[in-house]
């Protein structure tokens, strides 16, 4: 990997000049200064990238290679990510503003694991065969029904800015392992590590055109999602954009997977291990400064322990070390942009104007003075109709609501259009199972936060998404089930 930051599109196995010769500023959240000037891929460059992916899908060797041979390349890509873990982690930390330790130890490590996981999953995926009987032309015959799983063709992968490498590989892993080619579009707010992926892929022996990377604004994503030669779109981002992607894909009936936003509740019952729950709740909302789709942004706490629990939570907030993302000691960095910080603060200011109590935070810290920092914030006594309760803030803001029994807890938890995750803290197994069953979310964590086996379904219910990722769910998305039916049994 070249240590110079590459900002041009990666198409057909090399970085090229974007045809439109336009660029945008990629700003470093911790300093507010321009980190890189990135070439913007307009519709012509997008079309060029799609053509390269199409050529590799229709005439290249990748879709026709054995799963094992493809797995070898993906495993070498994972080796490349691990070899450059510090460099990539530091680039991610500068571009996104997440603490270095989280970028290196979690995001880059998980990116490598994503590729290795899907390399192995595609190799061990057994296809189905069904045997049955029928009458054909007056004779009894046996049918052998084979379900084959050829790749779909060319995929578009569009991702947000909060975990670029992790989310890119989470989608690229199954897309490529199943034999597809693709065009990846990172967010304009943090495109650098994805642009570095192209070179790592080439070094690992990925054939030219199999992975193409185009950076750009909404128009770039839209040009990609609506392109007639794209067979499937895997989109991760906000609900409003997801709606546009789905509408754009309708024209050519593309397969669409949507991984969207959330407003996930943390339900804390009085029988929970409160210390553990306080650490878990604080981590679920303030990790990555709340800029995570699965952030546990609503605290629903049993009334009789609310005071004690909030006290414990405030202790957890005091322990957070706010600082430069590149400092190994930092566990809380800046928000992604000035505009995002303004948006986050607008929710807090509106709630406060309506009578909410700001228990902590609610403003930018005095230090660091530069950059887009915003203090971890807890809001109590909100109006039940407050936007801070109903809308995804995607920032470090936790709202508090109280309940007296399970029914009330569930009514509050389910009163949202989102349905991504829920966290439930209780030491009673019967309660955990009973409440988990009635929560209208696609994922429920009991006494833990975000640990999971990559074979299990990840995704969102209600308006949090469409489709599931993980293990065979991802492989099913990226392949076209195809029946080949044969008969035998008649003697000739
Ligand atoms: P966003 O929807 O603004 O942008 C996501 C991506 O879509 C970016 O690359 C953007 O350039 C592109 N885009 C913008 N307009 C487009 C259009 N019309 N057509 C095609 N592409 C377009 O989201 P964001 O602000 O980057 O990310 C935050 C959101 O992502 C939050 O809602 C968060 O919950 C969600 N998210 C979801 C998951 C998940 O797995 N469910 C994971 C991470 C983030």
């Amino acid at each position: 990997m070249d240590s110079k930051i590459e900002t041009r599109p990666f198409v057909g196995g090399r970085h090229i000049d974007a045809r439109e010769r336009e660029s945008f500023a990629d700003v470093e959240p911790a300093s507010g200064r321009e980190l890189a000037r990135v070439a913007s891929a307009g519709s012509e460059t997008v079309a060029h990238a799609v053509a390269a992916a199409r050529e590799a899908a229709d005439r290249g060797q990748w879709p026709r290679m054995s799963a094992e041979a493809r797995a070898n390349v993906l495993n070498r890509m994972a080796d490349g990510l691990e070899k450059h873990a510090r460099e990539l982690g530091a680039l991610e930390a500068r571009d996104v503003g997440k603490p270095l330790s989280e970028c290196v130890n979690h995001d880059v490590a998980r990116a490598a694991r994503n590729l290795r996981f899907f390399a192995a999953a595609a190799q061990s995926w057994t296809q189905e065969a069904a045997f049955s009987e029928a009458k054909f032309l007056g004779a009894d015959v046996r049918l052998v029904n084979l379900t084959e799983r050829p790749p779909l063709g060319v995929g578009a992968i569009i991702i947000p800015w909060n975990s670029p490498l992790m989310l890119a590989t989470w989608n690229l892993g199954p897309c490529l392992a199943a034999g597809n080619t693709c065009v990846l579009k990172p967010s304009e707010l943090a495109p650098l590590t994805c642009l570095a992926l192209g070179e790592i892929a080439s070094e690992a022996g990925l054939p030219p055109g199999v992975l193409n990377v185009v950076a750009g604004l909404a128009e770039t994503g839209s040009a990609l999602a609506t392109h007639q030669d794209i067979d499937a779109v895997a989109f991760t981002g906000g609900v409003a954009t997801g709606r546009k992607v789905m509408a754009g894909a309708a024209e050519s009936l593309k397969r669409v997977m949507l991984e969207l936003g959330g407003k996930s509740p943390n339900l804390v019952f009085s029988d929970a291990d409160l210390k553990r729950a306080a650490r878990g709740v604080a981590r679920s909302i303030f990790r990555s400064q709340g800029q995570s789709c699965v952030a546990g942004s609503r605290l629903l706490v049993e009334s009789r322990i609310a005071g004690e629990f909030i006290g414990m939570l405030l202790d957890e907030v005091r322990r957070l070390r706010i600082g430069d993302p590149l400092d190994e000691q930092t566990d809380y960095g800046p928000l992604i942009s000035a505009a995002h910080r303004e948006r986050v603060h607008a929710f807090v200011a509106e709630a406060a104007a309506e009578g909410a109590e700001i228990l902590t935070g609610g403003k930018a810290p005095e230090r660091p003075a530069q950059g887009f920092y915003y203090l971890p914030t807890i809001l109590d006594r909100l109006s039940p109709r407050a936007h801070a309760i109903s809308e995804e803030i995607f920032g470090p803001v936790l709202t508090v609501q109280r309940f007296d029994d399970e029914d009330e807890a569930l009514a509050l938890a389910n009163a949202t259009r989102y349905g991504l995750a829920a966290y439930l803290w209780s030491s009673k197994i019967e309660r955990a199972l009973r409440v988990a069953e009635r929560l209208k979310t696609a994922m429920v964590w009991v006494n833990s936060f975000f640990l999971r086996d990559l074979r299990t379904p990840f995704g969102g219910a209600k308006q949090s998404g469409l489709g599931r990722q993980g293990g065979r769910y991802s492989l099913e998305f990226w392949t076209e089930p195809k029946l080949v039916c044969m008969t035998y049994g008649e003697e000739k």
Side-chain angles (χ1 to χ4, degrees):
M1 203 181 103
D2 196 339
S3 52
K4 175 181 151 285
I5 297 180
E6 183 52 80
T7 59
R8 293 176 301 156
F10 183 80
V11 176
R14 62 195 181 88
H15 289 281
I16 58 159
D17 290 326
R19 301 201 167 173
E20 297 79 8
R21 306 209 169 268
E22 284 168 6
S23 65
F24 61 90
D26 177 20
V27 175
E28 181 177 32
S31 67
R33 288 195 292 269
E34 186 172 307
L35 177 60
R37 185 141 278 279
V38 180
S40 187
S43 54
E44 261 193 66
T45 304
V46 167
H48 182 39
V50 175
R54 175 53 64 196
E55 172 72 18
D58 289 352
R59 277 173 283 283
Q61 49 174 321
W62 187 253
R64 285 160 276 280
M65 278 162 74
S66 69
E68 186 182 358
R70 285 196 294 262
N72 290 340
V73 176
L74 292 177
N75 283 325
R76 285 197 298 272
M77 275 176 76
D79 294 341
L81 287 168
E82 281 162 355
K83 185 170 141 204
H84 299 291
R86 278 216 66 92
E87 216 175 326
L88 286 167
L91 189 58
E92 194 89 305
R94 290 194 73 186
D95 212 4
V96 181
K98 280 209 260 194
L100 181 68
S101 56
E102 196 177 318
C103 292
V104 176
N105 302 326
H106 180 265
D107 289 32
V108 181
R110 173 65 193 276
R113 192 169 156 229
N114 284 341
L115 297 181
R116 292 196 199 288
F117 171 79
F118 280 110
Q123 279 180 280
S124 61
W125 201 27
T126 315
Q127 326 269 294
E128 292 161 17
F131 296 86
S132 49
E133 296 80 32
K135 272 211 181 303
F136 181 62
L137 301 179
D140 290 328
V141 291
R142 295 266 297 153
L143 307 182
V144 183
N145 305 267
L146 302 177
T147 305
E148 297 183 354
R149 283 278 182 177
L152 277 178
V154 180
I157 296 174
I158 303 176
I159 59 162
W161 47 265
N162 61 322
S163 298
L165 263 188
M166 203 291 270
L167 291 170
T169 50
W170 180 232
N171 286 281
L172 282 175
C175 171
L176 299 183
N180 299 283
T181 66
C182 73
V183 181
L184 165 68
K185 186 219 167 292
S187 165
E188 58 276 31
L189 295 171
L192 300 181
T193 51
C194 285
L195 286 164
L197 261 183
E199 212 171 313
I200 289 172
S202 294
E203 276 172 19
L206 192 75
V210 174
L211 165 64
N212 306 276
V213 189
V214 291
L217 314 183
E219 301 72 46
T220 310
S222 176
L224 189 55
T226 55
H227 198 289
Q228 295 291 319
D229 233 5
I230 291 284
D231 298 300
V233 187
F235 173 82
T236 309
V239 174
T241 320
R243 221 172 259 135
K244 288 185 199 158
V245 166
M246 198 169 167
E251 178 65 26
S252 58
L253 289 177
K254 296 182 207 320
R255 189 175 296 187
V256 177
M257 163 139 54
L258 301 176
E259 293 286 358
L260 309 176
K263 191 73 187 172
S264 305
N266 260 296
L267 290 80
V268 181
F269 290 90
S270 56
D271 56 49
D273 172 342
L274 295 188
K275 194 158 190 285
R276 184 182 160 88
R279 288 176 63 192
V281 170
R283 200 168 155 62
S284 80
I285 176 65
F286 297 127
R287 193 182 85 136
S288 307
Q289 297 80 253
Q291 302 170 129
S292 159
C293 58
V294 289
S297 52
R298 292 186 292 143
L299 169 65
L300 310 180
V301 58
E302 196 167 332
S303 304
R304 62 197 177 95
I305 50 141
E308 180 191 357
F309 188 74
I310 289 167
M312 293 166 97
L313 211 46
L314 290 170
D315 286 343
E316 292 296 329
V317 171
R318 270 180 226 113
R319 279 194 204 107
L320 289 172
R321 288 164 304 199
I322 302 180
D324 182 350
L326 290 177
D327 181 340
E328 300 271 3
Q329 301 304 313
T330 295
D331 39 33
Y332 185 97
L335 303 190
I336 187 72
S337 67
H340 188 50
R341 179 168 68 172
E342 267 173 43
R343 181 178 174 276
V344 169
H345 183 65
F347 278 105
V348 175
E350 184 191 66
E354 288 166 0
E357 196 181 328
I358 300 176
L359 299 182
T360 185
K363 58 181 186 220
E366 277 165 23
R367 272 197 305 202
Q370 310 159 307
F372 313 128
Y373 289 85
Y374 195 80
L375 288 169
T377 299
I378 303 181
L379 300 177
D380 198 2
R381 314 283 173 195
L382 298 104
S383 139
R385 284 175 304 283
H387 288 120
I389 287 179
S390 60
E391 301 300 318
E392 182 187 46
I393 299 178
F394 211 58
V397 180
L398 179 71
T399 58
V400 181
Q401 291 168 282
R402 290 163 180 73
F403 64 82
D404 289 324
D405 55 31
E406 277 178 25
D407 281 345
E408 197 182 357
L410 280 158
L412 289 170
N414 290 334
T416 169
R417 65 189 167 118
Y418 296 102
L420 197 58
Y423 307 96
L424 188 169
W425 305 87
S426 167
S427 58
K428 287 192 182 152
I429 182 86
E430 295 87 350
R431 164 170 279 162
L433 290 171
R434 197 165 55 227
V435 174
E437 195 177 298
R438 291 174 64 197
L439 281 165
K440 293 191 167 59
T441 58
M443 300 174 285
V444 178
W445 273 274
V446 178
N447 297 326
S448 64
F449 161 68
F450 205 46
L451 305 166
R452 51 183 276 280
D453 187 316
L454 300 185
R455 288 172 293 188
T456 56
F458 179 94
K462 298 177 170 172
Q463 292 193 20
S464 286
L466 203 63
R468 293 291 183 273
Q469 292 181 292
R472 69 179 170 83
Y473 303 95
S474 293
L475 292 171
E476 278 168 8
F477 177 80
W478 287 111
T479 51
E480 185 72 84
K482 175 177 178 179
L483 168 72
V484 176
C485 183
M486 296 178 284
T487 58
Y488 71 102
E490 291 169 83
E491 223 177 311
K492 291 272 184 275

